[in-house]
Amino acid sequence: YRQRRDETWPTSGIPTSAYSRHNSKMEALLDEDAAVGGGPVVTRFRPALVMNREAGSELLRNTVPGFVPAAALRWLPVLPVDRRLVLQVVHVDDVASAIVTALRQRTGGAFNLAAEPPLSRDALARALGARPVHLPSSVLRAVLAVGWWLRLQKVEPGWLDMGFSVPLMDCSRAERELGWRPSVTAPDALRDTLAGMAAAVSTPSPALRRRTVAGALGDVLRGGPITTRPVS
């Protein structure tokens, strides 16, 4: 596993990831505001991948090619991913708990939020019921790049770069100052989310609307990759 880093770790971002660059710019703006002082208490949360069953359809739209039916996740034979991959996740209920506590205590600053333990490539494969197969990240990145440029799926290669570049988060500050301890383990949060994805679970919220193959294909054709969506 990679070394743990606390909230003092530099937030300069991953150059090839638009998502990371945007978050880095926002962190810089918050740092500038904090340096001026005299303003409201500003609390920033840095959660790991936020998961829950109700986000199944949303995650399908943004991570699985539109032509792949949701139920196919139940029959995935192999998981071709670099053996070095390690991810952190956190359940949405535990993120909400941290936010409520920080609001009540008016605690400012940055807080890392992640459940234990970190998930290895093999843990992901077990949750999917698939056999792990080592595929070097460089090869996987090339495949993602082709699919992204052809608008077959919405995951840009920068997400993979970020997955292999970011350190594991140390969440000691949240535990120490907020009394925060996740109630859902990382494997349980992952299983809950994958079940929601396989069943295309949705809610009335527009962001969490039900995903269909036809709708997903339409989103890709109309809007293209998620990093080039028009700003409304």
Side-chain angles (χ1 to χ4, degrees):
Y1 288 169
R2 297 189 288 270
Q3 187 174 357
R4 301 280 183 135
R5 301 294 185 182
D6 64 15
E7 290 81 0
T8 62
W9 184 252
T11 54
S12 53
I14 309 300
T16 56
S17 168
Y19 176 84
S20 179
R21 293 198 307 272
H22 295 165
N23 276 272
S24 178
K25 290 180 180 179
M26 182 57 68
E27 289 271 359
L29 290 174
L30 292 174
D31 288 338
E32 292 175 7
D33 183 74
V36 174
V41 174
V42 177
T43 306
R44 64 185 90 170
F45 291 98
R46 299 170 181 162
L49 294 172
V50 180
M51 299 197 156
N52 74 319
R53 180 181 175 83
E54 288 71 22
S57 281
E58 178 199 17
L59 291 172
L60 281 171
R61 281 196 305 276
N62 289 325
T63 62
V64 178
F67 56 84
V68 178
L73 289 178
R74 296 192 178 100
W75 309 106
L76 190 67
V78 296
L79 180 65
V81 176
D82 195 304
R83 63 171 66 95
R84 297 179 298 115
L85 182 67
V86 180
L87 299 176
Q88 286 180 294
V89 304
V90 63
H91 195 274
V92 67
D93 289 348
D94 289 320
V95 176
S97 175
I99 293 172
V100 169
T101 301
L103 287 172
R104 288 173 175 170
Q105 297 181 181
R106 294 182 59 80
T107 307
F111 289 96
N112 293 337
L113 301 176
E116 294 294 334
L119 299 170
S120 66
R121 186 273 318 258
D122 290 356
L124 295 175
R126 285 193 297 271
L128 286 164
R131 182 170 63 89
V133 174
H134 176 63
L135 183 67
S137 59
S138 58
V139 177
L140 182 56
R141 191 185 196 284
V143 173
L144 280 178
V146 171
W148 186 69
W149 284 111
L150 292 178
R151 297 191 173 187
L152 297 177
Q153 49 83 22
K154 296 184 178 182
V155 181
E156 62 153 334
W159 283 93
L160 188 68
D161 297 337
M162 188 166 57
F164 284 101
S165 301
V166 296
L168 293 180
M169 293 186 293
D170 179 341
C171 303
S172 299
R173 183 176 185 236
E175 180 177 346
R176 184 175 61 253
E177 299 189 22
L178 301 179
W180 183 81
R181 290 187 180 182
S183 60
V184 182
T185 66
D188 285 346
L190 176 63
R191 283 191 289 268
D192 186 44
T193 302
L194 289 176
M197 293 177 69
V201 175
S202 61
T203 77
S205 164
L208 302 180
R209 68 188 183 278
R210 185 166 184 80
R211 180 259 202 188
T212 63
V213 172
L217 286 173
D219 287 344
V220 172
L221 294 174
R222 289 191 301 270
I226 58 175
T227 51
T228 59
R229 288 183 299 184
V231 178
S232 58

